[in-house]
Amino acid sequence: IRVLSANYALYADLSSRIVAIMERFVEQVEVYSIDEAFLDLVGYEQLYPDLVEFARKLRATIRQWTRIPVSVGIAPTKTLAKVANWYAKRQATADGVWLLNSPAGVEEALRNFSVNELWGVGSRYATLLRRNDVRTAAQFAALPD
C-alpha cells in the first residue's frame, strides 16, 4: 500500500491557472469540476477554423505554462464532448485531442462506447440498460423518449 497526501490547495491553484489559460483563448469557460471545464466555441469559427489545431495549441500552452497534460474533446454537446474526451485519452492516434463533428463520426464513436461510460448514467441505470440489451451509447441514443 502506498499512501499519498491530497494537496487540495495545490490542485485548486493549478486548476485556477489552467482556467485562466483557457480564458485567454475563449471568453466562455464553464468550470464543471476541479479538473474539467467546457469551452463555448460558438462564434470563434473565423478565429479558429481548424478546431483540432486550436485544441493542440491550447494543450501545448497549458502544458508549457503548468506542466500539466490535458486532453481535449470537441463536439456539439457537452455529453458528446465528454465522449470525445474519453477517446482523446485512449486513442493512440488522438494525441490528446478528439473531434466529433460529423454524424458519421458521432455514430461510430457511440457504437463503440459503453453505455455505462456515459455521463449521467450511474451503475444502477447501467445495470437496468444492460438487462434490456442496451450496451452501447448508440443503442441508448436510439431508444424512444
Side-chain angles (χ1 to χ4, degrees):
I1 296 176
R2 188 171 169 195
V3 178
L4 304 172
S5 68
N7 188 338
Y8 294 111
L10 175 63
Y11 299 159
D13 178 61
L14 286 169
S15 178
S16 295
R17 286 204 247 154
I18 291 170
V19 169
I21 294 167
M22 290 186 287
E23 288 173 338
R24 290 172 154 262
F25 286 81
V26 299
E27 289 180 28
Q28 296 286 336
V29 177
E30 178 187 337
V31 177
Y32 181 68
S33 67
I34 197 165
D35 67 347
E36 193 169 18
F38 294 102
L39 281 63
D40 185 349
L41 300 176
V42 173
Y44 287 88
E45 295 83 1
Q46 295 292 325
L47 188 58
Y48 305 126
D50 183 339
L51 292 176
V52 171
E53 187 56 38
F54 157 76
R56 287 187 177 134
K57 183 175 181 180
L58 177 63
R59 285 186 78 235
T61 303
I62 292 170
R63 181 72 182 240
Q64 179 182 3
W65 293 4
T66 67
R67 299 286 182 223
I68 303 291
V70 298
S71 57
V72 179
I74 305 167
T77 69
K78 290 177 184 177
T79 299
L80 288 175
K82 288 179 75 67
V83 171
N85 191 268
W86 187 92
Y87 280 99
K89 292 176 183 178
R90 290 165 179 83
Q91 294 293 324
T93 59
D95 194 30
V97 174
W98 199 263
L99 173 64
L100 289 179
N101 66 343
S102 70
V106 169
E107 173 62 29
E108 181 180 350
L110 295 181
R111 198 172 43 246
N112 297 306
F113 195 81
S114 177
V115 72
N116 63 304
E117 293 286 339
L118 274 175
W119 185 29
V121 174
S123 61
R124 283 189 198 171
Y125 197 46
T127 300
L128 173 70
L129 290 168
R130 282 193 304 272
R131 269 195 309 236
N132 288 283
D133 288 328
V134 177
R135 303 198 182 293
T136 70
Q139 291 170 322
F140 181 72
L143 291 174
D145 289 344

